[in-house]
């Protein structure tokens, strides 16, 4: 589980071999749905998600852990298991309380930062996008959208389940080329809250006994 968390949540999904790049294809209906959801999130002062992170192999989820996620503009904070991740708009701080370690790095063009709504932006250049019909998710008649990488990045495909009426993400599934699966199911959503001004600030004073590594 810790290895999967490192790949999907704490670290980044590093783009692998480029291979043969095909012309990108984006279904018009899927694009309209994703653009509407993106505009809705971008119109909010901040957003909060409570979610369940599941992982497994061969399409079956074997472990599930709760998590929370705050975002405001391009800044965010994530907490899951023994891990906290903060992006202050400049650097990513990965804090592991179990190992008492902090790694600090700047995002780069060959990486994708974790976010329950990350694919709302990366689909525009990195994926072929197809509308795949309706599917019920926790009683909601959700729209299902399939993303397939334009070039090799370790993922076979991604499914996005969205509530088009509310213009919100409900669930995403990542299916890897090695048959692993990771699922983020959003359980609670809030917006425009009064957040602590230091919500997205890394305070070194709180981690005096931690090993801090700047990459």
């Amino acid at each position: 589980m810790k290895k999967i968390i490192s790949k999907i949540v704490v670290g980044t999904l590093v783009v692998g071999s480029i291979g043969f790049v095909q012309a990108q294809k984006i279904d018009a209906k899927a694009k309209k749905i994703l653009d509407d959801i993106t505009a809705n999130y971008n119109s909010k002062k901040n957003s909060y998600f409570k979610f369940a992170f599941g992982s497994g192999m061969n399409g079956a989820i074997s472990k599930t852990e709760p998590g929370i996620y705050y975002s405001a503009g391009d800044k965010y904070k994530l907490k899951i298991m023994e891990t906290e991740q903060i992006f202050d708009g400049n650097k990513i701080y990965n804090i592991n309380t179990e190992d008492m370690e902090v790694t600090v790095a700047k995002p780069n063009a060959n990486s994708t930062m974790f976010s329950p709504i990350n694919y709302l932006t990366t689909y525009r250049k990195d994926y072929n996008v197809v509308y795949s019909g309706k599917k019920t998710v926790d009683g909601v008649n959700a729209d299902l959208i399939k993303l397939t990488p334009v070039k090799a990045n370790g993922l076979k495909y991604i499914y996005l389940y969205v509530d088009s009426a509310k213009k919100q993400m409900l669930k995403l599934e990542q299916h890897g080329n090695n048959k692993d699966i990771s699922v983020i199911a959003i359980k609670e959503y809030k917006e425009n809250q009064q957040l602590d001004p230091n919500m997205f600030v890394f305070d070194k004073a709180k981690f005096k006994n931690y090993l801090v590594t700047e990459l």
Side-chain angles (χ1 to χ4, degrees), residues 23-35 119-132 144-150 158 160:
Q24 186 184 22
K25 298 177 182 178
I26 300 180
D27 178 272
K29 184 171 184 177
K31 183 179 186 301
K32 175 66 165 55
I33 292 171
L34 295 181
D35 285 350
Y119 291 112
L120 295 180
T121 54
T122 59
Y123 88 84
R124 290 178 171 83
K125 59 185 179 66
D126 295 333
Y127 296 91
N128 293 317
V129 185
V130 177
Y131 179 77
S132 299
L144 175 60
I145 297 172
K146 184 178 181 180
L147 278 59
T148 307
V150 173
I158 301 99
L160 304 180

Side-chain angles (χ1 to χ4, degrees), residues 12-44:
T12 53
L13 299 175
V14 180
V15 175
S17 59
I18 294 177
F20 178 71
V21 179
Q22 300 178 348
Q24 186 184 22
K25 298 177 182 178
I26 300 180
D27 178 272
K29 184 171 184 177
K31 183 179 186 301
K32 175 66 165 55
I33 292 171
L34 295 181
D35 285 350
D36 285 349
I37 293 173
T38 303
N40 181 48
Y41 285 130
N42 289 341
S43 69
K44 310 306 179 186

Side-chain angles (χ1 to χ4, degrees), residues 2 26 33 43 59 70 93 111 145-146 171 184 199:
K2 192 171 180 179
I26 300 180
I33 292 171
S43 69
Y70 291 90
Y93 300 85
S111 64
I145 297 172
K146 184 178 181 180
K171 183 171 74 169
I184 295 173
M199 171 70 72

